[in-house]
PDB file of all heavy atoms in Angstrom:
ATOM      1  N   PRO A  85     181.548 121.089 137.729  1.00 94.00           N
ATOM      2  CA  PRO A  85     182.473 120.192 137.063  1.00 94.00           C
ATOM      3  C   PRO A  85     181.903 119.445 135.816  1.00 94.00           C
ATOM      4  O   PRO A  85     182.568 119.304 134.793  1.00 94.00           O
ATOM      5  CB  PRO A  85     182.952 119.245 138.126  1.00 94.00           C
ATOM      6  CG  PRO A  85     182.687 119.971 139.406  1.00 94.00           C
ATOM      7  CD  PRO A  85     181.389 120.757 139.135  1.00 94.00           C
ATOM      8  N   LEU A  86     180.649 119.028 135.990  1.00 95.00           N
ATOM      9  CA  LEU A  86     180.021 118.377 134.855  1.00 95.00           C
ATOM     10  C   LEU A  86     179.772 119.281 133.713  1.00 95.00           C
ATOM     11  O   LEU A  86     179.927 118.926 132.542  1.00 95.00           O
ATOM     12  CB  LEU A  86     178.695 117.723 135.334  1.00 95.00           C
ATOM     13  CG  LEU A  86     178.751 116.695 136.461  1.00 95.00           C
ATOM     14  CD1 LEU A  86     177.365 116.049 136.726  1.00 95.00           C
ATOM     15  CD2 LEU A  86     179.792 115.592 136.106  1.00 95.00           C
ATOM     16  N   PHE A  87     179.392 120.511 134.037  1.00 96.00           N
ATOM     17  CA  PHE A  87     179.141 121.551 133.008  1.00 96.00           C
ATOM     18  C   PHE A  87     180.440 121.740 132.185  1.00 96.00           C
ATOM     19  O   PHE A  87     180.450 121.891 130.983  1.00 96.00           O
ATOM     20  CB  PHE A  87     178.619 122.812 133.590  1.00 96.00           C
ATOM     21  CG  PHE A  87     178.341 123.869 132.568  1.00 96.00           C
ATOM     22  CD1 PHE A  87     177.103 123.978 131.957  1.00 96.00           C
ATOM     23  CD2 PHE A  87     179.337 124.793 132.235  1.00 96.00           C
ATOM     24  CE1 PHE A  87     176.831 124.960 131.031  1.00 96.00           C
ATOM     25  CE2 PHE A  87     179.019 125.777 131.307  1.00 96.00           C
ATOM     26  CZ  PHE A  87     177.781 125.868 130.704  1.00 96.00           C
ATOM     27  N   ASP A  88     181.530 121.943 132.903  1.00 95.00           N
ATOM     28  CA  ASP A  88     182.842 122.215 132.296  1.00 95.00           C
ATOM     29  C   ASP A  88     183.188 121.057 131.375  1.00 95.00           C
ATOM     30  O   ASP A  88     183.793 121.232 130.279  1.00 95.00           O
ATOM     31  CB  ASP A  88     183.927 122.430 133.302  1.00 95.00           C
ATOM     32  CG  ASP A  88     183.686 123.773 134.076  1.00 95.00           C
ATOM     33  OD1 ASP A  88     182.976 124.617 133.541  1.00 95.00           O
ATOM     34  OD2 ASP A  88     184.312 123.927 135.193  1.00 95.00           O
ATOM     35  N   TYR A  89     182.916 119.860 131.776  1.00 96.00           N
ATOM     36  CA  TYR A  89     183.212 118.661 130.973  1.00 96.00           C
ATOM     37  C   TYR A  89     182.424 118.664 129.705  1.00 96.00           C
ATOM     38  O   TYR A  89     182.914 118.432 128.585  1.00 96.00           O
ATOM     39  CB  TYR A  89     183.026 117.360 131.759  1.00 96.00           C
ATOM     40  CG  TYR A  89     183.172 116.126 130.904  1.00 96.00           C
ATOM     41  CD1 TYR A  89     184.458 115.558 130.596  1.00 96.00           C
ATOM     42  CD2 TYR A  89     182.054 115.510 130.368  1.00 96.00           C
ATOM     43  CE1 TYR A  89     184.584 114.429 129.809  1.00 96.00           C
ATOM     44  CE2 TYR A  89     182.246 114.341 129.556  1.00 96.00           C
ATOM     45  CZ  TYR A  89     183.407 113.848 129.323  1.00 96.00           C
ATOM     46  OH  TYR A  89     183.567 112.736 128.542  1.00 96.00           O
ATOM     47  N   ALA A  90     181.048 118.886 129.854  1.00 96.00           N
ATOM     48  CA  ALA A  90     180.211 118.905 128.683  1.00 96.00           C
ATOM     49  C   ALA A  90     180.590 119.953 127.707  1.00 96.00           C
ATOM     50  O   ALA A  90     180.635 119.769 126.535  1.00 96.00           O
ATOM     51  CB  ALA A  90     178.701 119.072 129.124  1.00 96.00           C
ATOM     52  N   LEU A  91     180.906 121.154 128.259  1.00 96.00           N
ATOM     53  CA  LEU A  91     181.341 122.265 127.345  1.00 96.00           C
ATOM     54  C   LEU A  91     182.640 121.899 126.631  1.00 96.00           C
ATOM     55  O   LEU A  91     182.851 122.185 125.452  1.00 96.00           O
ATOM     56  CB  LEU A  91     181.523 123.545 128.221  1.00 96.00           C
ATOM     57  CG  LEU A  91     182.035 124.782 127.441  1.00 96.00           C
ATOM     58  CD1 LEU A  91     181.109 125.147 126.284  1.00 96.00           C
ATOM     59  CD2 LEU A  91     182.203 125.936 128.464  1.00 96.00           C
ATOM     60  N   GLY A  92     183.561 121.221 127.362  1.00 96.00           N
ATOM     61  CA  GLY A  92     184.804 120.786 126.736  1.00 96.00           C
ATOM     62  C   GLY A  92     184.616 119.784 125.559  1.00 96.00           C
ATOM     63  O   GLY A  92     185.279 119.880 124.551  1.00 96.00           O
ATOM     64  N   VAL A  93     183.628 118.930 125.757  1.00 96.00           N
ATOM     65  CA  VAL A  93     183.364 117.940 124.671  1.00 96.00           C
ATOM     66  C   VAL A  93     182.770 118.629 123.514  1.00 96.00           C
ATOM     67  O   VAL A  93     183.150 118.366 122.390  1.00 96.00           O
ATOM     68  CB  VAL A  93     182.392 116.849 125.227  1.00 96.00           C
ATOM     69  CG1 VAL A  93     181.989 115.942 124.093  1.00 96.00           C
ATOM     70  CG2 VAL A  93     183.084 116.042 126.320  1.00 96.00           C
ATOM     71  N   LEU A  94     181.899 119.642 123.740  1.00 97.00           N
ATOM     72  CA  LEU A  94     181.352 120.443 122.618  1.00 97.00           C
ATOM     73  C   LEU A  94     182.443 121.210 121.932  1.00 97.00           C
ATOM     74  O   LEU A  94     182.493 121.329 120.677  1.00 97.00           O
ATOM     75  CB  LEU A  94     180.222 121.294 123.104  1.00 97.00           C
ATOM     76  CG  LEU A  94     178.958 120.700 123.460  1.00 97.00           C
ATOM     77  CD1 LEU A  94     177.956 121.806 123.924  1.00 97.00           C
ATOM     78  CD2 LEU A  94     178.341 119.898 122.353  1.00 97.00           C
ATOM     79  N   ARG A  95     183.387 121.805 122.715  1.00 97.00           N
ATOM     80  CA  ARG A  95     184.451 122.528 122.105  1.00 97.00           C
ATOM     81  C   ARG A  95     185.339 121.625 121.246  1.00 97.00           C
ATOM     82  O   ARG A  95     185.718 121.961 120.067  1.00 97.00           O
ATOM     83  CB  ARG A  95     185.315 123.193 123.168  1.00 97.00           C
ATOM     84  CG  ARG A  95     184.749 124.486 123.763  1.00 97.00           C
ATOM     85  CD  ARG A  95     185.495 124.899 124.965  1.00 97.00           C
ATOM     86  NE  ARG A  95     185.019 126.257 125.429  1.00 97.00           N
ATOM     87  CZ  ARG A  95     185.326 126.736 126.631  1.00 97.00           C
ATOM     88  NH1 ARG A  95     186.037 126.020 127.500  1.00 97.00           N
ATOM     89  NH2 ARG A  95     184.844 127.873 126.981  1.00 97.00           N
TER      90      ARG A  95
END
Side-chain angles (χ1 to χ4, degrees):
L86 300 185
F87 181 89
D88 291 341
Y89 173 82
L91 177 58
V93 174
L94 287 181
R95 283 172 172 163

